[in-house]
Every structure is written in C-alpha cells, then in structure tokens.
Amino acid sequence: MSLLPLRGFAQNGLQRLDDQILIGLSETRTPEKTGFFMFLSNNNDVVNVGVPVGLFAAGVIGKDKEMRQNAFYIFSSSAVNVLVTMLVKKAVKRPRPFLANVKINAVYQPSHYSFPSGHTSTSFTTATALSQAYPKWYVVAPAYLWASSVSFSRLYLGVHYPTDVAAGALLGTGTALSFRFMRPN
C-alpha cells in the first residue's frame, strides 16, 4: 500500500488550515494592532543586530572577555542562520500566502519566498543564543516573548503561513543550539 495518497491528503489539509488561520486573522485586524505588529516586524533586525553589538560594546567597555565571547556566539549563530534560511527559501520556493490564495489579504507584500519565515528564524536564533548565554528567567522570558511576538506579527500581517513560522522557529532555535560550542566555559 502506498502512503502517497495519505501524504497528499495531509499536505492539502495542512494547507487549508494554514489558509484558514490567515484569513481568520485578517478579519480581526485593527489599525492599532496592525501598527503594533508592523513595528515589531520592522524592528526585528534592529534587535537581532543590537543584541550582539550591545553585548560586545559592554564587554569591551567593561573588559569582560566572557561577554565579548557571548556576543560572538550570538552573532555567529545569527549570521549562519541567515545564510541557511536564504538557502532553504531558494530551495523550497514556496510562494507568499497572498500570491497563492486570493482570499488572503496581506498588509503589505514583501518579495522573495515564504518558507521558512526569516523574521521568525532570526528572532528565535537571537532569543535562543541569548538565553543559552544568560540562562536567567529575566533574560529568557523577554527574549522568547520578543521572538514569539515577531513570529505572530508575520501571521497577523498575512505575509507567512503558520507552517512557515513554525519552521522558522525550529530552524532558528536549532541554529543557536548547534553553535553552543562557541560559548565560553
């Protein structure tokens, strides 16, 4: 017995769920929420660059070698994650939701491909690496709150499917965890 019919059914069912979630979110948009989620999406790179740069600067000023090493760990994880994300996007070539389904209304229309979500993968790389470097609740909770909020913003804005966001979170987390060897001992 072939599993191909089951695979096709699962993919179609997952695609329908992806579509339904995005259509439902678009029906709940308000100008205030849209502005907030645009702010999160637009400032994701600022945070992802600012965290390692800030740690490095603080490490230099404070003559703290461990902090400088943590900054390098976070930066390296992020840089590799961006490259891997771009490669996966080019390999998979999944169209953006608003291109694949006319019922999905995006707030704006970014170019490039949809899978995986780059905003999600980068925010989760930063959150995971920062949490590995500084495993205190007051670092971990805000880091993952930021990453989760950025990820949700991509859904709310209609520019990524839920499966794009889930894959981005896994990719970002996995990249940061795979670079733990760079952390100071």
Side-chain angles (χ1 to χ4, degrees), residues 12-32:
N12 289 337
L14 193 55
Q15 183 63 56
R16 280 194 303 275
L17 180 61
D18 268 354
D19 289 347
Q20 288 171 348
I21 289 169
L22 292 184
I23 292 166
L25 283 173
S26 71
E27 293 170 353
T28 67
R29 288 188 191 129
T30 65
E32 296 78 20

Side-chain angles (χ1 to χ4, degrees), residues 7 12 22 24 26 39 43 45 50 71 74 95 98 100 107 138 140 145-146 153 159 178 182:
R7 184 174 155 222
N12 289 337
L22 292 184
S26 71
F39 173 83
N43 287 287
D45 289 342
I74 295 167
F98 53 84
V107 171
Y138 51 84
V140 174
L145 177 61
W146 171 262
S153 78
V159 296
S178 69
M182 297 184 73

Side-chain angles (χ1 to χ4, degrees), residues 124-139:
F124 268 87
T125 299
T126 300
T128 302
L130 185 62
S131 297
Q132 291 292 305
Y134 301 99
K136 305 287 188 200
W137 74 267
Y138 51 84
V139 174

Side-chain angles (χ1 to χ4, degrees), residues 40-41 43-54 71 74-76 78-79 81-82 118-128 143 146-147 150:
L40 292 178
S41 277
N43 287 287
N44 184 51
D45 289 342
V46 173
V47 172
N48 292 329
V49 171
V51 167
V53 167
I74 295 167
F75 170 78
S76 299
S78 294
N81 177 70
V82 168
H119 281 71
T120 300
S121 70
T122 57
S123 64
F124 268 87
T125 299
T126 300
T128 302
W146 171 262
V150 167

Side-chain angles (χ1 to χ4, degrees), residues 140-164:
V140 174
Y144 281 108
L145 177 61
W146 171 262
S148 298
S149 298
V150 167
S151 301
F152 181 77
S153 78
R154 308 309 286 162
L155 301 174
Y156 181 87
L157 298 171
V159 296
H160 279 290
Y161 293 108
T163 49
D164 300 338

Side-chain angles (χ1 to χ4, degrees), residues 38-87:
M38 281 296 296
F39 173 83
L40 292 178
S41 277
N42 289 339
N43 287 287
N44 184 51
D45 289 342
V46 173
V47 172
N48 292 329
V49 171
V51 167
V53 167
L55 284 173
F56 184 76
V60 169
I61 292 167
K63 297 180 175 64
D64 186 334
K65 182 180 178 184
E66 183 176 332
M67 189 174 283
R68 291 190 308 268
Q69 289 174 315
N70 282 331
F72 187 67
Y73 159 56
I74 295 167
F75 170 78
S76 299
S77 298
S78 294
V80 168
N81 177 70
V82 168
L83 292 173
V84 171
T85 299
M86 288 177 11
L87 289 172

Side-chain angles (χ1 to χ4, degrees), residues 96-108:
R96 293 279 181 174
F98 53 84
L99 295 173
N101 186 331
V102 295
K103 293 181 182 178
I104 296 174
N105 180 23
V107 171
Y108 73 104

